[in-house]
């Protein structure tokens, strides 16, 4: 493994807020791109969202903000000031990629929309992200992932079971999914530019991504598949969730129902049912679920979750615990594979932080997690690199055009 990174040499300017666009830039930063994040003088909104999640939000310790913003440089500019706008324009002119999720009318008013930049910077890859896309009756609506991704797609209601309260998705989960697919689009544009020398406009949306990620449901509902599911009438009882003796839950997922039935009935002490024609094939059990499900549930209640996972897993049956979010930071499998790594903040506190789940055999991209610090932490360094003198930078700061 070399010490290099696959995106070394790429320069990225991000005018992003919240999670999706910053996460795209974070992935590229981890993979070697130089990423400059431009914020307003008071910082972007995600700096304080952590307080809603019971997290610390100080300059020295802001883990919630650090997740999508680690390993970047931070510049603070006042885009209402002509000199602040000029500084951003200079940074964009020196960049390969510009990313933003600012709404298009606001970008247009500032003069940073794609049409305003494409002729001036024909090689620029311009990346934008919206709630609902650019056409149709909802094109102008703002959209957080809770509304535009989870709620609009039906996932909140239909991923659960009948009668359940709509589930509450973790903050930023939909954004993270969009960021992953949008990052793939950005890298495709980078490859295209290498071939043609031309930049392009790259975009994605929360609603568009939710349709893609719900692809099986989009298609199957047109053939009569219905959601949400009835918890008492699964299509395959051994592709289902069961509560165990200790109150914990497990997930069993098999394709060959009949084979699994023959293996599990003795474990449940129900050898008497092995030849029961109501239950021993998938076609039969689907007609007798009201009788079968209480038997299966009673069987799983005879032992604890972890014991079942070990005993049934030893029979080469796909099964796993249904865990808790609070377990992920210390999950031995997550720790062993570097899915989480310890990060020590300037405050002195060490927190297990999630990592970008992509590895390269030829590049060393693992484990780098530079905390974010204060608004405008790197303004002087970045503007100096862009060609500003110390006197000019001080002048921008004194007049409130930069911080």
């Amino acid at each position: 493994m070399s010490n290099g990174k696959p995106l070394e040499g790429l320069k990225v300017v991000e005018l992003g807020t919240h999670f999706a666009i910053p996460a795209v830039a974070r992935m590229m930063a981890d993979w070697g791109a130089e990423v400059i994040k431009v914020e307003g003088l008071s910082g972007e909104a995600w700096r304080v969202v952590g307080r809603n999640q019971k997290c610390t939000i100080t300059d020295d310790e802001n883990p919630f903000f650090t997740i999508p913003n680690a390993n970047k440089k931070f510049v603070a500019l006042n885009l209402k000031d002509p000199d602040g706008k000029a500084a951003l324009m200079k940074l964009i002119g020196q960049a390969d990629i510009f990313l933003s999720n600012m709404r298009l009318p606001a970008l247009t008013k500032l003069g940073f929309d794609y049409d305003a930049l494409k002729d001036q910077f024909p090689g620029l890859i311009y990346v934008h992200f919206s709630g609902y896309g650019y056409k149709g009756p909802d094109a102008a609506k703002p959209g957080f992932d809770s509304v535009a991704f989870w709620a609009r797609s039906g996932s909140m209601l239909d991923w659960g079971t009948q009668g359940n309260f709509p589930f509450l998705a973790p903050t930023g989960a939909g954004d993270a999914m969009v960021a992953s697919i949008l990052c793939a689009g950005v890298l495709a544009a980078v490859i295209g530019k290498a071939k043609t020398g031309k930049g392009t406009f790259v975009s994605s949306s929360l609603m568009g991504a939710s349709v893609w990620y719900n692809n099986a449901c989009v298609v199957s509902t047109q053939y009569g598949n219905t959601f949400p599911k009835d918890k008492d009438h699964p299509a395959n009882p051994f592709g289902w969730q069961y509560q165990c003796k200790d109150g914990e839950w497990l997930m069993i997922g098999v394709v060959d129902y009949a084979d699994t039935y023959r293996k599990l009935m003795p474990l449940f002490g129900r050898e008497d049912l092995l030849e029961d024609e109501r239950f021993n094939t998938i076609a039969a059990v689907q007609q007798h679920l009201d009788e079968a499900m209480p038997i299966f549930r009673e069987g799983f209640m005879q032992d604890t979750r972890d014991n079942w996972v070990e005993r049934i897993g030893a029979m080469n049956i796909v099964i796993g615990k249904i865990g808790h979010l609070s377990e992920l930071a210390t999950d031995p499998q997550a720790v062993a594979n570097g899915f989480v790594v310890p990060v020590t903040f300037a405050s002195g506190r060490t927190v297990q932080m999630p990592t970008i789940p992509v590895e390269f055999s030829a590049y060393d991209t693992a484990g780098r997690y530079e905390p974010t610090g204060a608004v405008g932490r790197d303004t002087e360094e970045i503007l100096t690199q862009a060609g500003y003198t110390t006197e000019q930078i001080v002048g921008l700061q004194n007049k409130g055009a930069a911080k």
Side-chain angles (χ1 to χ4, degrees):
M1 181 181 292
S2 72
N3 292 322
K5 299 180 188 297
L7 299 187
E8 284 181 358
L10 279 182
K11 191 166 187 177
V12 178
V13 173
E14 173 212 317
L15 183 64
T17 65
H18 295 84
F19 198 96
I21 282 291
V24 175
R26 160 73 200 281
M27 286 186 270
M28 290 191 288
D30 276 31
W31 300 337
E34 178 187 4
V35 177
I36 300 168
K37 183 181 179 75
V38 177
E39 302 176 80
L41 302 191
S42 59
E44 67 117 321
W46 208 252
R47 283 186 178 268
V48 298
V49 168
R51 66 188 174 195
N52 300 335
Q53 311 294 324
K54 301 185 178 181
C55 292
T56 302
I57 59 167
T58 65
D59 289 342
D60 287 343
E61 183 183 338
N62 197 340
F64 212 72
F65 180 70
T66 299
I67 294 170
N69 290 295
N71 307 326
K72 302 177 184 179
K73 300 293 185 180
F74 296 87
V75 174
L77 299 175
N78 178 6
L79 299 184
K80 295 180 180 179
D81 185 289
D83 290 335
K85 289 174 59 177
L88 176 57
M89 188 67 75
K90 179 169 283 192
L91 293 176
I92 294 173
Q94 297 174 353
D96 300 288
I97 301 167
F98 173 62
L99 307 97
S100 184
N101 62 320
M102 187 180 291
R103 294 170 72 183
L104 286 182
L107 284 169
T108 301
K109 184 176 180 180
L110 288 169
F112 293 111
D113 56 298
Y114 180 61
D115 287 339
L117 298 179
K118 66 179 182 179
D119 293 333
Q120 188 174 357
F121 310 119
L124 182 67
I125 296 171
Y126 188 110
V127 185
H128 193 257
F129 165 76
S130 67
Y132 298 94
Y134 304 114
K135 302 175 182 178
D138 297 331
K141 286 185 176 181
F144 287 152
D145 75 337
S146 59
V147 176
F149 186 98
W150 297 107
R152 183 61 174 263
S153 67
S155 302
M156 276 186 170
L157 275 177
D158 288 355
W159 280 15
T161 53
Q162 291 178 6
N164 281 0
F165 186 84
F167 80 80
L168 302 176
T171 299
D175 283 330
M177 296 186 205
V178 179
S180 299
I181 199 167
L182 181 54
C183 187
V186 175
L187 298 181
V190 171
I191 294 171
K193 179 183 174 181
K195 296 178 179 179
T196 67
K198 297 180 180 179
T200 188
F201 182 87
V202 184
S203 66
S204 188
S205 67
L206 283 164
M207 184 179 176
S210 72
V211 172
W212 172 249
Y213 285 116
N214 276 292
N215 58 84
C217 305
V218 170
V219 171
S220 67
T221 51
Q222 296 177 67
Y223 286 86
N225 196 9
T226 59
F227 297 88
K229 296 300 183 182
D230 180 347
K231 64 183 178 63
D232 296 318
H233 296 88
N236 177 3
F238 294 147
W240 210 238
Q241 307 95 329
Y242 290 95
Q243 193 171 26
C244 303
K245 185 178 181 179
D246 55 357
E248 299 292 349
W249 291 74
L250 59 78
M251 179 73 200
I252 183 168
V254 301
V255 175
D256 190 341
Y257 168 87
D259 179 68
T260 302
Y261 180 84
R262 288 191 297 272
K263 293 176 179 177
L264 292 191
M265 288 305 100
L267 293 183
F268 294 164
R270 297 306 306 265
E271 291 90 341
D272 58 303
L273 297 179
L274 283 173
E275 304 304 324
D276 195 312
E277 294 184 357
R278 295 172 299 169
F279 309 135
N280 62 2
T281 67
I282 188 65
V285 78
Q286 287 173 345
Q287 304 303 314
H288 296 278
L289 288 169
D290 289 335
E291 301 164 83
M293 290 304 291
I295 294 170
F296 299 153
R297 286 179 172 141
E298 181 181 351
F300 281 108
M301 288 296 291
Q302 295 176 22
D303 206 346
T304 62
R305 178 195 67 186
D306 291 348
N307 283 347
W308 277 132
V309 169
E310 183 176 354
R311 293 170 64 189
I312 297 174
M315 304 172 76
N316 200 30
I317 294 172
V318 177
I319 191 170
K321 71 177 185 179
I322 297 180
H324 299 280
L325 295 170
S326 60
E327 298 173 325
L328 287 173
T330 56
D331 187 305
Q333 191 69 16
V335 173
N337 285 279
F339 301 155
V340 291
V341 294
V343 175
T344 300
F345 291 88
S347 66
R349 178 167 180 160
T350 299
V351 181
Q352 289 289 103
M353 300 286 284
T355 59
I356 306 299
V358 176
E359 299 178 19
F360 304 89
S361 65
Y363 305 103
D364 182 8
T365 61
R368 180 173 170 241
Y369 223 121
E370 181 184 351
T372 52
V375 178
R377 185 192 69 187
D378 307 299
T379 296
E380 294 182 22
E381 173 191 342
I382 295 302
L383 291 186
T384 298
Q385 292 176 358
Y388 284 82
T389 66
T390 300
E391 293 75 15
Q392 288 173 321
I393 295 170
V394 171
L396 290 173
Q397 293 171 331
N398 288 341
K399 70 173 295 198
K403 181 178 179 179

